[in-house]
C-alpha cells in the first residue's frame, strides 16, 4: 500500500481563512507536484493480541522509529513510542489511523514496516548543491535524484510538509486496514484531527485539505468539529474509538467541497528567497489582534480584502468558463497577452483577452490590500525587501499575478504566468536577480490531490 499527498501554495486568502465566519472566507490553495509518500514495505502477524506495531523508516532524515498501538482494551486505542527520537506528527497520525480503522470495524492487529519519502522541493537543497560545488539553479535542482537525504541544517520551503506527511500516513494506514478503500473525506477528517492535536491548536486547515483534495477554493471547516477531540489532555496518548467516530461522522457536513484549479495555461512558479523564514503563528496572532480592533470600523481593510478575494475567485472562474466555451479565442488571447508587460495595466477590445486582464487586475488589488493590511497590523506580510522583487517580476511579459504565499513573510515568493515560456523567463530572471538570492523551485501545479495505490498482486 502506498499513499502520496501533495504540498500546497496558498495564493489567496492568507489570514482571512483562519477566521471562523459565516459564511467562511475563501482562499485559493494550489496543490503542487511535490509529494510526501508513505509506503508499506512489509507486514507480519501481530506479536500479541490487540497490538499494532508500526516501524517507520525515514531515510532522508536518517531516522527510524517504532510505535506500538494497543487496542486490547475494548473501545480504546493507546500508542507508545518505543524507538527513535520523539515525533509527534507520526505518533498522532498512527494513533488516529488505528482508531479510525477500528471505528470502521476493521482488524488492526499486525506488525507493519513503512517508509516515508519527501520530494526534494519540500526542503531547501542549497546545502546539497553547495556540497556538490554546483550552482543553485533550477536546472541543477531538476537534475537531482529524487528523495535526497538532507544535508546539514536544512530549512523548509513552506509547502506544508507536516500536513502532507500526516495525510499520507493516515491514508496509507487506513487503506491498509480497510482494503476496500477509505473515503477521501474520512482521510481528511482524521488527518485534520491528528495534525491539530499535534500542533496543539486548530489552524485554518487548508494545508491538510489540499493534501487530500489538491487545488481548491478553500473555506474553513467548523473548528468545533475538531475541538471536541482536543478537550482534556494536551498531548493525549490514547483515544476513545466512539469519540472519534462521533467526531468524524460522515453524515455531518464539515465544509462543501469546491473543485477548482488554475485556468488553462496559467502556470505557478515558486521561488525560495532564503531570507531566514518567518514565524507564522506570531504573524497570525498580531493580524488577528488587529482584526479584532477594527471589527466595528465600516469598510475596514479586512472587509475590503474579503470582498476582493471573492471577486478574484469569480474572475478566475470566468476565465475557466471562457476557456471551455471559446477555446480558440482563449488560446489566441493567451498568446497575445504572453508578450504584454504590466498585465493589469493593459486593455483589449477582445472580450476574452479583457477577461484575462480583468482577472489579473483583481489579483493585483488583492495583493495591494493584503500588503496594506500588513502595514496596518505592523506585520511584514509583504516585506519591503520582497516588494522590489515582486514588482520587478510583475513587470515581465506574461506575468499574471505575484505575491508572498500563505501568511507572507520571508519564506517564498510566487508568480502566476501565462504559459511555459513565461514560466521559464521568470525562473531565469530570478536566478540572475542581483538584489537578493532567489532560487526557483521545480514545483508546478498538480491539482489531483491524494493518490492511493494498492499493492500489486504477484
Amino acid at each position: 500500500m502506498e499513499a502520496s499527498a501533495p504540498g500546497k501554495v496558498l495564493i489567496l486568502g492568507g489570514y482571512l481563512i483562519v477566521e471562523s465566519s459565516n459564511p467562511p472566507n475563501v482562499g485559493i490553495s494550489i496543490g503542487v507536484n511535490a509529494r510526501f509518500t508513505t509506503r508499506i514495505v512489509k507486514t507480519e502477524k501481530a506479536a500479541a493480541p490487540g497490538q499494532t506495531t508500526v516501524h517507520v523508516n525515514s531515510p532522508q532524515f536518517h531516522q527510524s522509529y517504532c510505535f506500538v498501538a494497543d487496542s486490547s482494551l475494548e473501545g480504546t486505542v493507546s500508542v507508545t513510542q518505543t524507538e527513535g527520537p520523539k515525533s509527534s506528527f507520526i505518533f498522532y497520525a498512527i494513533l488516529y489511523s488505528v482508531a479510525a480503522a477500528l471505528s470502521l470495524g476493521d482488524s488492526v492487529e499486525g506488525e507493519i514496516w513503512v517508509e516515508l519519502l519527501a520530494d526534494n522541493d519540500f526542503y531547501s537543497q542549497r546545502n546539497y548543491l553547495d556540497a556538490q560545488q554546483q550552482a543553485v539553479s533550477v536546472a541543477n535542482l531538476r537534475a537531482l535524484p529524487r528523495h535526497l537525504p538532507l544535508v546539514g541544517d536544512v530549512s523548509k520551503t513552506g509547502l506544508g510538509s507536516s500536513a502532507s506527511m500526516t495525510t499520507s500516513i493516515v491514508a496509507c494506514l487506513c487503506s491498509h486496514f480497510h482494503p476496500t478503500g477509505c473515503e477521501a473525506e474520512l482521510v481528511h477528517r482524521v488527518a485534520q484531527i491528528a495534525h491539530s492535536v499535534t500542533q496543539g491548536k486548530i489552524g485554518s486547515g487548508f494545508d491538510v485539505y489540499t493534501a487530500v483534495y489538491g487545488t481548491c477554493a478553500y473555506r474553513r471547516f467548523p473548528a468545533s468539529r475538531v475541538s471536541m477531540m482536543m478537550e482534556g489532555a494536551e498531548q493525549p496518548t490514547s483515544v476513545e474509538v466512539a469519540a472519534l467516530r462521533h467526531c468524524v461522522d460522515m453524515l455531518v457536513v464539515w465544509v462543501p467541497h469546491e473543485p477548482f484549479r488554475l485556468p488553462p495555461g496559467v502556470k505557478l512558479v515558486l521561488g525560495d528567497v532564503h531570507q531566514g523564514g518567518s514565524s507564522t503563528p506570531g504573524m497570525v496572532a498580531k493580524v488577528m489582534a488587529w482584526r479584532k480592533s477594527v471589527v466595528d470600523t465600516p469598510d475596514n481593510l479586512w472587509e475590503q480584502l474579503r470582498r476582493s478575494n471573492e471577486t478574484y475567485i469569480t474572475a478566475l472562474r470566468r476565465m475557466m468558463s471562457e476557456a471551455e466555451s471559446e477555446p480558440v479565442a482563449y488560446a489566441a488571447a493567451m498568446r497575445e497577452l504572453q508578450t504584454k508587460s504590466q498585465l493589469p495595466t493593459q486593455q483589449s477590445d477582445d472580450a476574452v483577452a479583457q477577461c484575462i486582464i480583468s482577472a489579473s487586475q483583481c489579483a493585483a488589488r488583492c495583493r495591494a490590500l493584503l500588503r496594506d493590511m500588513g502595514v496596518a497590523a505592523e506585520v511584514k506580510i509583504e516585506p519591503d525587501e520582497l516588494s522590489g522583487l515582486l514588482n520587478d517580476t510583475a513587470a515581465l511579459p506574461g506575468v499574471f499575478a505575484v505575491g508572498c504565499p500563505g501568511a507572507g513573510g520571508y519564506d517564498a515568493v510566487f508568480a502566476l504566468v501565462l504559459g511555459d515560456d513565461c514560466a521559464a523567463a521568470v525562473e531565469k530572471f530570478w536566478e540572475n536577480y542581483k538584489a537578493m538570492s532567489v532560487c526557483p523551485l521545480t514545483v508546478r501545479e498538480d491539482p489531483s490531490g491524494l493518490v492511493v495505490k494498492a499493492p500489486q498482486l504477484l
Side-chain angles (χ1 to χ4, degrees), residues 62-180:
H62 316 286
Q63 299 289 357
S64 294
Y65 313 82
C66 184
F67 303 85
V68 178
D70 183 1
S71 55
S72 59
L73 184 63
E74 184 72 24
T76 301
V77 179
S78 62
V79 169
T80 304
Q81 182 173 352
T82 59
E83 294 178 20
K86 182 179 179 180
S87 176
S88 297
F89 282 110
I90 302 175
F91 181 98
Y92 287 113
I94 292 171
L95 173 64
Y96 291 105
S97 294
V98 173
L102 287 171
S103 76
L104 295 173
D106 298 324
S107 172
V108 298
E109 291 183 358
E111 194 160 4
I112 306 168
W113 283 259
V114 304
E115 185 176 52
L116 302 181
L117 296 170
D119 284 345
N120 294 336
D121 272 327
F122 279 108
Y123 306 96
S124 174
Q125 300 298 327
R126 290 171 182 263
N127 290 351
Y128 181 88
L129 291 173
D130 288 344
Q132 300 296 313
Q133 297 183 325
Q134 295 182 11
V136 180
S137 69
V138 71
N140 286 338
L141 286 174
R142 288 197 174 106
L144 294 178
R146 292 190 70 194
H147 308 138
L148 273 176
L150 302 182
V151 176
D153 186 14
V154 174
S155 60
K156 296 182 179 182
T157 56
L159 295 180
S161 57
S162 64
S164 299
M165 182 184 74
T166 297
T167 302
S168 71
I169 293 173
V170 170
C172 186
L173 292 179
C174 286
S175 298
H176 169 71
F177 294 131
H178 197 75
T180 57

Side-chain angles (χ1 to χ4, degrees), residues 372-395:
D372 291 346
M373 190 174 77
V375 172
E378 298 182 347
V379 174
K380 293 185 177 181
I381 296 176
E382 185 184 300
D384 292 341
E385 300 92 320
L386 299 188
S387 288
L389 169 64
L390 292 172
N391 291 339
D392 292 343
T393 303

Side-chain angles (χ1 to χ4, degrees), residues 169-372:
I169 293 173
V170 170
C172 186
L173 292 179
C174 286
S175 298
H176 169 71
F177 294 131
H178 197 75
T180 57
C182 288
E183 290 184 59
E185 181 58 17
L186 176 65
V187 172
H188 165 239
R189 296 181 184 196
V190 174
Q192 286 284 16
I193 293 166
H195 200 248
S196 296
V197 171
T198 303
Q199 294 186 316
K201 63 182 179 67
I202 304 172
S204 66
F206 82 92
D207 44 5
V208 172
Y209 193 87
T210 308
V212 174
Y213 290 109
T215 299
C216 57
Y218 179 72
R219 299 182 191 271
R220 190 176 191 258
F221 61 89
S224 60
R225 298 308 306 171
V226 173
S227 63
M228 66 177 70
M229 295 302 299
M230 299 180 67
E231 297 170 354
E234 286 189 7
Q235 294 183 312
T237 58
S238 63
V239 61
E240 299 291 329
V241 174
L244 181 64
R245 183 187 296 114
H246 173 68
C247 179
V248 302
D249 183 359
M250 299 299 288
L251 296 178
V252 178
V253 176
W254 278 25
V255 60
H257 180 54
E258 294 187 45
F260 185 85
R261 65 171 299 169
L262 291 176
V266 177
K267 306 296 181 180
L268 170 72
V269 189
L270 194 67
D272 171 14
V273 294
H274 203 56
Q275 295 290 308
S278 302
S279 173
T280 298
M283 295 168 69
V284 172
K286 286 191 70 175
V287 170
M288 299 312 287
W290 167 84
R291 159 63 174 155
K292 190 175 181 180
S293 73
V294 301
V295 69
D296 294 326
T297 303
D299 201 33
N300 58 66
L301 276 173
W302 183 279
E303 288 302 315
Q304 292 179 47
L305 181 56
R306 182 189 62 77
R307 292 196 302 269
S308 187
N309 288 351
E310 294 283 358
T311 301
Y312 184 24
I313 285 269
T314 301
L316 289 172
R317 292 194 190 281
R318 190 175 299 120
M319 277 182 65
M320 289 184 274
S321 177
E322 292 286 358
E324 183 176 351
S325 62
E326 300 286 347
V328 175
Y330 182 86
M334 291 288 281
R335 286 193 300 271
E336 175 195 348
L337 295 177
Q338 285 168 1
T339 65
K340 303 296 184 182
S341 302
Q342 299 284 6
L343 201 57
T345 67
Q346 299 293 322
Q347 286 188 325
S348 177
D349 293 331
D350 178 75
V352 178
Q354 188 58 47
C355 171
I356 298 170
I357 292 169
S358 296
S360 180
Q361 291 168 344
C362 290
R365 176 162 173 76
C366 290
R367 176 196 166 199
L369 287 170
L370 184 61
R371 184 174 61 243
D372 291 346

